[in-house]
Amino acid sequence: ASRFVIQRHYAGNFDRDRFILDPRRSILLASRPALADPVSCEKWLEKGRVADPGQACAAFLGLLDQLEDAPPQADAFIDILETLRAPVQAALEEVARRFAGRALPLAPTEQAAFVQSCDLWLAQLRAWRRLLRAASKNPALAPERARLVQRTLECTAGLLTTHLAARHEIATEHWRWLHQAYALAEREGLAEIPVGALDSERTLTCHAAYARVLLLHLANPAALAQREFGWAQRWARRWAGKLRLSPTVPDQGGLGVDLDAGSPPRWIAASDTKAHTRRLDCGPIARSIHGRIKKLTAGETPESLGLGRDCTPLAAKELLATLSRSWSDAPQIRQFPRRSCTGKVQLVARFPEIHQALAGTSLETTNTPWDYSQRSMEQIHMFQRTSPQSATPAETLATETWETLDESANGFRLRRNGPGTRLAHRQLVALRPGGAEQFILCEIRWLQLGEDKVLHVGAKALPGLPQACAVRPRAANALTGPGWVHAFALPLSRGLAPNLVLPVGWY
């Protein structure tokens, strides 16, 4: 406590996550540090190697806490953190697979992985900030100042990227940390100085680390699938060096960021320009994207264009077109303007319940065609026929009440304060606004969990009035064929075949 003032209360809610570093205190060496030099760090890595990424993150977090309580010499501390940097990031990437792109709210195991990932980024951030504060008083650490600022910025960007991957809202305090770190690098002339790693020849600048997270946030990750988020993250890393930060904003306005605030990048008018405002010039990135779209249309593969071998030409082309609009200097104009409104809306999230809400009864799907059961025998004896549907009334349907924030001609923005059904990206839901008689089919286009644990979603309405129906695969033998499955028909107009909405896995 005499060396380092810290207040940290973290229980999954980031508005309570705080740590206060006293700039008047410097590192006072402990008599027995947990690790004294990089050689002991290598031995620790060999001895404590585990296959499970969650256990590895827990071990790294415990080690960093020990180093925080008993730090070694400053130059040895830098080498130890550099030695740990690659294995820690590898473990974090594996843990991120457990919560990235999952349905919201996260399941308990997914939430635990998310909290663990954030804790490990925060532990690294505290260590690098501690060394950066000590470097201001120790002239021997002056040659390492560019590295210390870059690593501080990198850990802050990693914390924000973790939130974006989990579709969680980023706290204002975290944005302020990111902007302050870059402002420090810019003020000391360190923004463009390349910094290498001990185990690699690759270099990274403060500008590139800062630009990555700005581009990723502008890509609207709450509306991207898990694999699309991975592609956008990789492409943002590739094109981060092309993003230009300028203190001047054109007369028509442009994308910009306020280095003295705790807000993400947004559209800034020329009249709002301040001394600490930086305009984001995405022109070089837009030209690279347009060139690749043309080459993909001409038949070239994504791998040959540096986009990766794990994406198909069609999917890469669609995502590039989306990023071209997000990383554009032109203002975003919606096809259907939104209007603010307040009200309640009923939501049904599961496929069978949606079918019941539209049909008024639930479809019996367990029996196969020509299945003669005890229930069928009783129905024939009593009614001289069998009924494929149960008599469950629609009034017993369990619905959730959501609050409408705004709406447009083809969608809604909703929020739910409290527990409820987990929702996933591109999930089918049924909505019934207040005063409406019938449910409409919608698709979840984006979703985000706020700092206050309030779930926000954007739903796009499917065209046409939905009708509940049932489908089954065509079988050569009707006696042994499969049973009926829930589906929906969307008639567009008379004389045209309706669109079919089928369950996942049907074509």
Side-chain angles (χ1 to χ4, degrees):
S2 63
R3 301 189 308 268
F4 189 43
V5 179
I6 178 171
Q7 297 177 357
R8 182 164 174 263
H9 306 285
Y10 184 76
N13 193 349
F14 283 94
D15 58 352
R16 294 185 295 172
D17 179 69
R18 301 287 187 270
F19 65 89
I20 301 175
L21 305 180
D22 190 343
R24 297 170 298 178
R25 312 282 177 91
S26 61
I27 296 179
L28 299 181
L29 301 179
S31 57
R32 292 184 179 180
L35 295 176
D37 50 37
V39 176
S40 60
C41 182
E42 292 286 355
K43 293 180 179 179
W44 185 91
L45 289 174
E46 289 294 333
K47 181 180 178 180
R49 182 175 297 175
V50 294
D52 182 70
Q55 296 179 4
C57 286
F60 287 130
L61 185 58
L63 176 62
L64 290 173
D65 287 341
Q66 294 178 21
L67 292 173
E68 184 176 329
D69 295 334
Q73 294 283 347
D75 52 349
F77 201 179
I78 295 176
D79 294 338
I80 290 172
L81 291 178
E82 283 291 319
T83 304
L84 294 174
R85 179 170 169 266
V88 167
Q89 289 186 356
L92 285 170
E93 290 177 0
E94 291 298 323
V95 170
R97 300 177 187 273
R98 300 180 178 179
F99 60 82
R102 303 291 183 175
L104 295 180
L106 295 176
T109 55
E110 299 166 351
Q111 180 68 21
F114 170 69
V115 171
Q116 186 182 51
S117 181
C118 292
D119 276 344
L120 189 49
W121 279 118
L122 284 169
Q124 295 181 91
L125 177 59
R126 290 196 304 273
W128 286 112
R129 289 184 63 169
R130 185 176 190 174
L131 289 168
L132 179 61
R133 188 177 61 254
S136 61
K137 302 178 181 180
N138 188 354
L141 296 179
E144 296 289 342
R145 191 159 182 83
R147 181 187 303 275
L148 297 177
V149 176
Q150 196 280 328
R151 297 299 188 247
T152 301
L153 189 58
E154 183 181 65
C155 292
T156 310
L159 178 63
L160 270 65
T161 302
T162 300
H163 283 70
L164 296 178
R167 298 194 178 100
H168 279 53
E169 185 181 4
I170 299 174
T172 302
E173 187 177 35
H174 297 162
W175 280 114
R176 186 174 289 109
W177 294 347
L178 182 75
H179 299 329
Q180 289 176 351
Y182 179 76
L184 175 63
E186 190 181 68
R187 185 168 57 251
E188 298 188 2
L190 306 174
E192 298 295 342
I193 296 180
V195 178
L198 297 180
D199 56 347
S200 174
E201 296 180 356
R202 297 182 58 184
T203 60
L204 186 66
T205 64
C206 294
H207 173 270
Y210 184 61
R212 284 181 185 180
V213 67
L214 296 183
L215 290 175
L216 193 59
H217 180 270
L218 290 173
N220 191 15
L224 298 179
Q226 183 177 2
R227 66 169 189 171
E228 293 175 336
F229 178 83
W231 299 343
Q233 188 176 9
R234 185 170 62 209
W235 299 345
R237 185 184 303 113
R238 179 184 182 89
W239 294 321
K242 295 186 176 183
L243 181 66
R244 301 171 182 172
L245 300 181
S246 172
T248 60
V249 179
D251 296 337
Q252 67 273 17
L255 291 173
V257 64
D258 188 353
L259 299 181
D260 199 32
S263 57
R266 58 183 177 86
W267 187 265
I268 296 180
S271 57
D272 297 335
T273 304
K274 303 177 183 177
H276 39 73
T277 301
R278 297 294 180 270
R279 177 211 172 194
L280 309 182
D281 184 3
C282 303
I285 300 178
R287 289 190 290 271
S288 297
I289 292 178
H290 293 159
R292 282 170 171 80
I293 292 178
K294 291 181 180 179
K295 292 180 180 179
L296 288 173
T297 306
E300 296 194 31
T301 62
E303 185 179 2
S304 64
L305 300 176
L307 301 177
R309 64 176 63 182
D310 57 339
C311 51
T312 62
L314 180 59
K317 187 177 178 180
E318 292 179 352
L319 182 57
L320 285 175
T322 301
L323 295 180
S324 177
R325 294 188 294 269
S326 301
W327 298 341
S328 174
D329 294 330
Q332 299 293 326
I333 301 177
R334 299 185 59 89
Q335 182 181 4
F336 300 100
R338 290 188 178 274
R339 55 184 180 276
S340 299
C341 64
T342 57
K344 302 296 182 180
V345 59
Q346 301 297 317
L347 182 143
V348 182
R350 302 182 184 275
F351 215 84
E353 282 79 357
I354 297 175
H355 194 278
Q356 178 182 346
L358 294 176
T361 55
S362 60
L363 178 66
E364 190 71 39
T365 61
T366 56
N367 295 337
T368 58
W370 303 95
D371 184 13
Y372 189 71
S373 61
Q374 178 69 24
R375 178 174 176 272
S376 300
M377 181 184 68
E378 294 175 353
Q379 288 183 344
I380 291 176
H381 179 72
M382 295 172 57
F383 307 110
Q384 307 303 316
R385 61 180 176 83
T386 60
S387 174
Q389 296 179 339
S390 63
T392 304
E395 288 73 16
T396 62
L397 182 67
T399 61
E400 293 184 359
T401 302
W402 287 59
E403 181 181 356
T404 305
L405 299 179
D406 55 48
E407 61 182 16
S408 65
N410 67 336
F412 305 86
R413 186 164 69 95
L414 313 171
R415 71 178 176 187
R416 182 187 66 196
N417 189 2
T421 305
R422 298 180 66 198
L423 296 179
H425 181 252
R426 292 299 181 94
Q427 181 176 343
L428 183 72
V429 296
L431 299 179
R432 183 171 62 185
E437 298 180 356
Q438 185 178 356
F439 283 87
I440 59 176
L441 289 182
C442 296
E443 181 185 39
I444 300 295
R445 300 307 298 266
W446 63 266
L447 65 164
Q448 186 180 62
L449 191 67
E451 292 185 76
D452 51 0
K453 303 303 179 183
V454 175
L455 182 59
H456 296 255
V457 302
K460 181 180 179 181
L462 302 184
L465 293 177
Q467 299 176 0
C469 62
V471 296
R472 67 179 183 185
R474 295 186 61 181
N477 189 351
L479 294 176
T480 60
W484 296 96
V485 176
H486 304 95
F488 306 98
L490 291 171
L492 298 179
S493 61
R494 293 183 179 180
L496 295 178
N499 293 324
L500 278 180
V501 180
L502 303 175
V504 175
W506 284 64
Y507 300 92

